[in-house]
Amino acid sequence: MTSRTEDAEVTTAPCKRQRGVDAETEEVPEQRMRTVDVSLIMPVHNAACWLDECLQAIILQDFTGVMELSVFDDASTDESVKVVEAWRARLEARGVSLVLSGHKSPQPKGVGFAKNKAINQSSGKYLCFQDADDVMLPERVRLQFEASLLHPSCVYTSHGPTVIMPTWFCSRDWFLEVGLFDEGGKGVAEDLLFFYQSLRQGGGAVRVDQCLLVYRYHEKAATHSVTEETIWNLRVNFLQERVISQWQSFTIWNAGKQGRKLFRYLNGANQKKVKAFCDVDEKKIKKGFYTYEDSKERPKRRVPIVSYKDASPPFIVCVKLDMTGGILEENINSLNLVEGVDYYHFN
């Protein structure tokens, strides 16, 4: 997938480091000739009201290496570009170069498109993804940079939304290995699609074990364009592809709403692999079985419901962590189960 450039208005010459892009012969400004350690990748769309706080947090980073901020404006109709440009002098005084471009098409082209453009015009060895409405804590870049030197795969914060783009930090080399973000636009979970592709190619996830980002949740956030149904289907399909396809049979840990929902969304072949549900709720266990009423099987199958103590691995655990006062974790430990071997967590 390639990004279109004919409608982009570039205010700072982009560095041609993207795979498949030939370097041009024009002179690169002296400030761009420095080796950039970290490029902060920021797609922007109508974020003027959040940008001052976001950019102030960039200036307050305690990272001592060379940083640049690469911003691509995706057809904003507010003052986003003016706000970013107004911070140029303060950013450069801090040693952070600014690369700013965008387009003025009638409609935005989506987060994936804007991220790809921002990466294409950046030059850092590492990419730190930052949403324009979020706020980094001062140590974020430093700690993730230090972690990334030990791990050639994506690095995530450990608190809050750990597997979505605003917390990501990875090497440029790994990004280019995985490939560009999906540019399908509104409603596409481009971050989750990229994450799954990274896993398919052998990438891992490493968490910096402290809070590094304040994630702002508001009604205009781009995340609201992606439905829960879309996310659920992607997750279930990936679970079937990467985990369940390797098993002859398995147990769903949770005979309640979430466990039954997972069962319903499995394909027919994988539904047949479910040998039982297990639970701690005596009422569910006494019922003895679960029947998927919309099943096309005749007669409809009765999937046993048993106590977790009588169930056998492997398990797909469909119970939220930290929601049972530690009881779930105690029950799993009591069976001497190994995560990634005897069970996978899915909620």
Side-chain angles (χ1 to χ4, degrees):
M1 185 182 299
T2 58
S3 299
R4 296 183 297 275
T5 59
E6 64 270 12
D7 55 355
E9 296 184 353
V10 181
T11 58
T12 302
C15 180
K16 302 299 189 298
R17 293 179 59 119
Q18 181 80 15
R19 178 180 292 174
V21 178
D22 293 328
E24 296 181 5
T25 57
E26 75 267 13
E27 291 187 11
V28 179
E30 183 176 351
Q31 66 180 15
R32 301 280 293 148
M33 294 181 66
R34 299 180 303 167
T35 299
V36 176
D37 296 308
V38 178
S39 293
L40 306 173
I41 304 302
M42 185 185 296
V44 171
H45 175 69
N46 289 344
C49 60
W50 316 116
L51 280 167
D52 285 330
E53 189 176 4
C54 175
L55 296 172
Q56 177 67 24
I58 291 174
I59 286 178
L60 294 178
Q61 290 298 299
D62 62 11
F63 179 62
T64 58
V66 179
M67 291 190 296
E68 73 174 358
L69 173 61
S70 180
V71 177
F72 186 84
D73 181 74
D74 188 21
S76 291
T77 57
D78 64 1
E79 301 294 309
S80 291
V81 173
K82 290 184 179 179
V83 173
V84 174
E85 188 60 50
W87 278 82
R88 182 182 293 274
R90 280 171 283 184
L91 288 164
E92 291 180 350
R94 163 63 178 80
V96 181
S97 56
L98 173 63
V99 187
L100 173 60
S101 70
H103 70 95
K104 294 183 178 180
S105 299
Q107 297 294 329
K109 297 183 179 181
V111 180
F113 174 83
K115 287 173 183 172
N116 287 338
K117 295 290 287 183
I119 294 167
N120 183 59
Q121 69 189 16
S122 70
S123 59
K125 294 175 64 178
Y126 291 88
L127 307 175
C128 178
F129 293 90
Q130 173 70 28
D131 281 1
D133 51 359
D134 295 337
V135 180
M136 291 192 289
L137 299 184
E139 62 273 20
R140 180 197 175 182
V141 173
R142 173 176 56 83
L143 291 178
Q144 289 194 300
F145 179 80
E146 291 172 353
S148 69
L149 296 179
L150 301 175
H151 304 279
S153 56
C154 294
V155 180
Y156 308 87
T157 60
S158 63
H159 302 290
T162 60
V163 188
I164 60 174
M165 186 54 60
T167 66
W168 288 13
F169 190 111
C170 69
S171 70
R172 179 181 297 275
D173 287 343
W174 182 248
F175 174 82
L176 294 176
E177 183 70 25
V178 176
L180 301 178
F181 290 111
D182 188 293
E183 296 185 358
K186 187 175 181 180
V188 174
E190 84 291 331
D191 51 356
L192 190 56
L193 290 171
F194 182 91
F195 178 65
Y196 286 161
Q197 185 60 26
S198 176
L199 294 179
R200 289 186 184 100
Q201 295 185 205
V206 179
R207 304 197 306 183
V208 176
D209 195 21
Q210 65 187 82
C211 182
L212 299 179
L213 180 83
V214 177
Y215 179 81
R216 196 187 304 272
Y217 188 83
H218 58 92
E219 63 180 10
K220 295 182 180 180
T223 186
H224 294 307
S225 70
V226 184
T227 66
E228 288 187 20
E229 186 78 1
T230 295
I231 297 295
W232 177 265
N233 284 326
L234 287 173
R235 294 182 64 231
V236 172
N237 290 340
F238 193 74
L239 178 71
Q240 293 185 103
E241 172 193 333
R242 300 289 288 185
V243 178
I244 296 176
S245 65
Q246 308 302 313
W247 292 342
Q248 296 299 314
S249 63
F250 66 100
T251 301
I252 296 178
W253 188 310
N254 185 355
K257 181 179 179 181
Q258 288 297 307
R260 296 195 305 268
K261 181 179 179 180
L262 173 61
F263 181 88
R264 293 194 302 270
Y265 277 77
L266 297 175
N267 62 41
N270 287 331
Q271 285 182 357
K272 292 179 181 178
K273 291 184 179 182
V274 179
K275 56 187 173 183
F277 289 85
C278 73
D279 212 291
V280 298
D281 188 331
E282 289 297 332
K283 291 182 179 180
K284 295 185 179 71
I285 295 170
K286 286 181 179 179
K287 183 178 179 181
F289 64 89
Y290 166 71
T291 298
Y292 177 28
E293 294 298 339
D294 291 335
S295 172
K296 296 180 181 180
E297 283 188 305
R298 296 294 184 274
K300 292 184 176 67
R301 181 182 171 208
R302 292 185 173 188
V303 183
I305 300 175
V306 301
S307 168
Y308 78 94
K309 295 179 182 178
D310 299 322
S312 59
F315 298 94
I316 298 295
V317 180
C318 296
V319 182
K320 292 183 179 180
L321 297 176
D322 301 325
M323 294 294 288
T324 63
I327 295 176
L328 170 66
E329 291 79 0
E330 290 177 4
N331 290 340
I332 290 175
N333 290 335
S334 72
L335 300 179
N336 297 315
L337 302 177
V338 177
E339 186 171 8
V341 177
D342 301 310
Y343 75 95
Y344 284 82
H345 189 255
F346 185 91
N347 67 32

